[in-house]
Amino acid sequence: EVQLVESGGGLVQAGGSLRLSCRVWGHTFGEFATAWFRQAPGKEREFVACISNVDDRTNYADSMKDRFTITSDNAKNTVYLQLINVKPEDTAVYYCAVRPGSFVRLPRFSFEYDFWGQGTQVTVSS
């Protein structure tokens, strides 16, 4: 059974930094993409970034690539999302998701992902 667990969320002041972790296990996928999405209260879930486990190719939402960085540590089966200079509008539940397969274009839409974690809350105070 594929399992994803996010951690690292919490309360942070505007301008601060945070690193989220997503540990993935229980699968036999050779190639896959791992993404971060977020969902703020009353809003739809939105794409943040994704990464390939094979070649570390990344893809970012245009509005987030200046302050967010996605990385992976395959030895630890963990993908990270570094947030810097956070803003109150970054307040959301952050989810990680996995889609097995090889990709010419890394998937950016939530419907493209098959497995999801439960999310971790990030709250940015002004």
Side-chain angles (χ1 to χ4, degrees), residues 45-61:
R45 192 168 297 188
E46 65 176 335
F47 172 75
V48 175
C50 62
I51 189 167
S52 165
N53 76 309
V54 173
D55 54 13
D56 285 339
R57 277 184 299 146
T58 58
N59 198 342
Y60 290 89

Side-chain angles (χ1 to χ4, degrees), residues 19-20 23 34 40-42 55 63 85 89 93 95 109 113 117 119 125:
R19 190 178 78 161
L20 308 181
R23 184 168 172 260
T34 307
D55 54 13
S63 62
N85 190 24
E89 51 264 42
V93 177
Y95 299 90
F109 298 97
Y113 284 85
S125 63

Side-chain angles (χ1 to χ4, degrees), residues 22 33-37 47 49-51 70 79 95-99 107 113:
C22 171
T34 307
W36 285 96
F37 290 82
F47 172 75
C50 62
I51 189 167
I70 189 170
V79 170
Y95 299 90
C96 66
V98 165
R99 174 176 173 175
Y113 284 85

Side-chain angles (χ1 to χ4, degrees), residues 10-122:
L11 177 64
V12 59
Q13 287 190 331
S17 300
L18 208 61
R19 190 178 78 161
L20 308 181
S21 299
C22 171
R23 184 168 172 260
V24 184
W25 75 97
H27 67 84
T28 58
F29 309 142
E31 299 183 37
F32 57 93
T34 307
W36 285 96
F37 290 82
R38 70 182 186 182
Q39 188 165 18
K43 295 188 176 181
E44 294 188 353
R45 192 168 297 188
E46 65 176 335
F47 172 75
V48 175
C50 62
I51 189 167
S52 165
N53 76 309
V54 173
D55 54 13
D56 285 339
R57 277 184 299 146
T58 58
N59 198 342
Y60 290 89
D62 288 343
S63 62
M64 303 182 202
K65 59 186 177 183
D66 291 337
R67 298 185 296 114
F68 295 177
T69 304
I70 189 170
T71 57
S72 67
D73 184 337
N74 290 337
K76 295 183 178 180
N77 299 318
T78 301
V79 170
Y80 303 97
L81 184 69
Q82 179 74 46
L83 293 67
I84 64 171
N85 190 24
V86 295
K87 304 175 181 180
E89 51 264 42
D90 294 323
T91 294
V93 177
Y94 285 71
Y95 299 90
C96 66
V98 165
R99 174 176 173 175
S102 59
F103 310 97
V104 173
R105 173 192 65 82
L106 289 173
R108 296 167 58 98
F109 298 97
S110 59
F111 68 82
E112 296 181 288
Y113 284 85
D114 303 294
F115 304 98
W116 291 81
Q118 293 300 307
T120 186
Q121 175 71 48
V122 172

